[in-house]
Amino acid sequence: MTRIAKKYAGTAVIILICVALFELATDITGWLEPVLFPGLSRILPAFAEAFPKLMEGLVSSFALLLPSYVLALVLGVSLGLFVGYHQAVRTTLMPLFRGVSPIPPTMLIPYAISVLPTFWLSSAFIIFMGAFWPILMGTIHGVVLLEERYLDNARALGLHGSRLLRLVVFPGALPHIFAGAGMALVFSFILLTVAEMFGAKSGMGYFIQYYSDFSDYPRVLAGMIFMSLFIILMMELFDTIQRRALYWTGKR
């Protein structure tokens, strides 16, 4: 606990300063418009009252986010290893990937709603598309940047095909895979909120949008705070997994 406290002491100080400034501008002085910017005297009770609904929304959001992200991770890494390792395939497909990957997934929302049978599948597809490309491109770059001497040594030891990919190429590309996966996770949270706002009947994004429509900004800000805390915990979990998986790099 002491180590964690020292590690995040600076973060805690910045948060406390921001909270103090916000409270000064709202409840104490009223500099900010009180309807749009309610103070902690209204946000905290709204947070406590809405906590059961926020937890229900968290479960719903996680049930949408997790399968979409995991599917993007599995397909992105698998396809990225194959494309990155085979130069002829990479030469053929990379121009297509570079042309398609920058298209914002939000532009696909009308097509997802029209083609897919349910709003849940439409939302999952949007999140999947946002997560897939960073993971795929990160994996391909990780394979391409792998030093050729590692591959030569592995082949000299008799490693070929799937064993070479699994035992040498995949571990060598892992730092870039994690870089792409981390970026994809951030995009997934953004797209999760967008997806829940256009079709969902539950979830953290739906909670914020619902009370925003009624101008209930204490609950809107409570929902934002709750979602931010959830994202912080998820990203910390991701960083912990990354540090343990990449222990051999010496990064902490």
Side-chain angles (χ1 to χ4, degrees):
M1 291 297 293
T2 304
R3 182 179 178 182
I4 296 176
K6 290 181 179 180
K7 181 178 179 180
Y8 296 106
T11 304
V13 169
I14 293 174
I15 292 175
L16 289 175
I17 292 174
C18 291
V19 171
L21 291 175
F22 180 80
E23 187 66 5
L24 176 66
T26 53
D27 283 337
I28 297 177
T29 64
W31 289 341
L32 296 176
E33 208 285 322
V35 175
L36 288 174
F37 299 98
L40 293 179
S41 62
R42 297 171 60 194
I43 295 174
L44 294 180
F47 187 95
E49 183 180 349
F51 187 76
K53 288 186 178 181
L54 289 170
M55 289 302 298
E56 292 177 7
L58 173 62
V59 173
S60 177
S61 294
F62 198 71
L64 176 61
L65 175 70
L66 184 61
S68 307
Y69 181 79
V70 170
L71 181 61
L73 186 64
V74 172
L75 293 181
V77 172
S78 301
L79 183 59
L81 290 173
F82 177 79
V83 174
Y85 184 70
H86 296 88
Q87 183 175 358
V89 178
R90 186 173 69 249
T91 302
T92 301
L93 294 182
M94 280 304 290
L96 301 177
F97 291 165
R98 294 190 180 109
V100 175
S101 59
I103 298 176
T106 50
M107 294 183 63
L108 303 176
I109 289 176
Y111 300 99
I113 295 175
S114 302
V115 174
L116 297 174
T118 65
F119 280 117
W120 191 93
L121 286 175
S122 302
S123 301
F125 173 75
I126 296 302
I127 297 172
F128 167 81
M129 292 302 297
F132 174 74
W133 290 113
I135 296 172
L136 174 68
M137 301 302 281
T139 304
I140 293 174
H141 290 152
V143 175
V144 171
L145 294 175
L146 187 63
E147 294 186 29
E148 190 66 27
R149 61 189 177 92
Y150 294 127
L151 300 177
D152 293 338
N153 291 337
R155 294 189 185 103
L157 293 173
L159 294 179
H160 300 281
S162 61
R163 292 190 66 205
L164 179 63
L165 285 174
R166 179 168 54 88
L167 298 177
V168 179
V169 177
F170 175 70
L174 205 53
H176 290 85
I177 293 175
F178 268 108
M183 187 182 302
L185 187 57
V186 173
F187 287 162
S188 296
F189 286 125
I190 297 172
L191 293 170
L192 171 68
T193 305
V194 175
E196 287 180 334
M197 286 181 174
F198 75 77
K201 295 299 181 183
S202 61
M204 293 183 290
Y206 171 79
F207 179 93
I208 295 171
Q209 181 63 48
Y210 178 82
Y211 286 106
S212 177
D213 291 340
F214 290 96
S215 298
D216 191 344
Y217 292 105
R219 282 183 171 81
V220 170
L221 293 176
M224 290 181 179
I225 293 172
F226 182 84
M227 189 171 186
S228 296
L229 293 174
F230 170 69
I231 293 173
I232 290 172
L233 290 176
M234 288 295 295
M235 294 306 299
E236 282 297 316
L237 176 61
F238 179 87
D239 287 343
T240 300
I241 295 173
Q242 177 175 318
R243 285 194 299 270
R244 293 186 178 182
L246 301 179
Y247 67 92
W248 46 271
T249 63
K251 295 181 179 180
R252 297 177 178 270

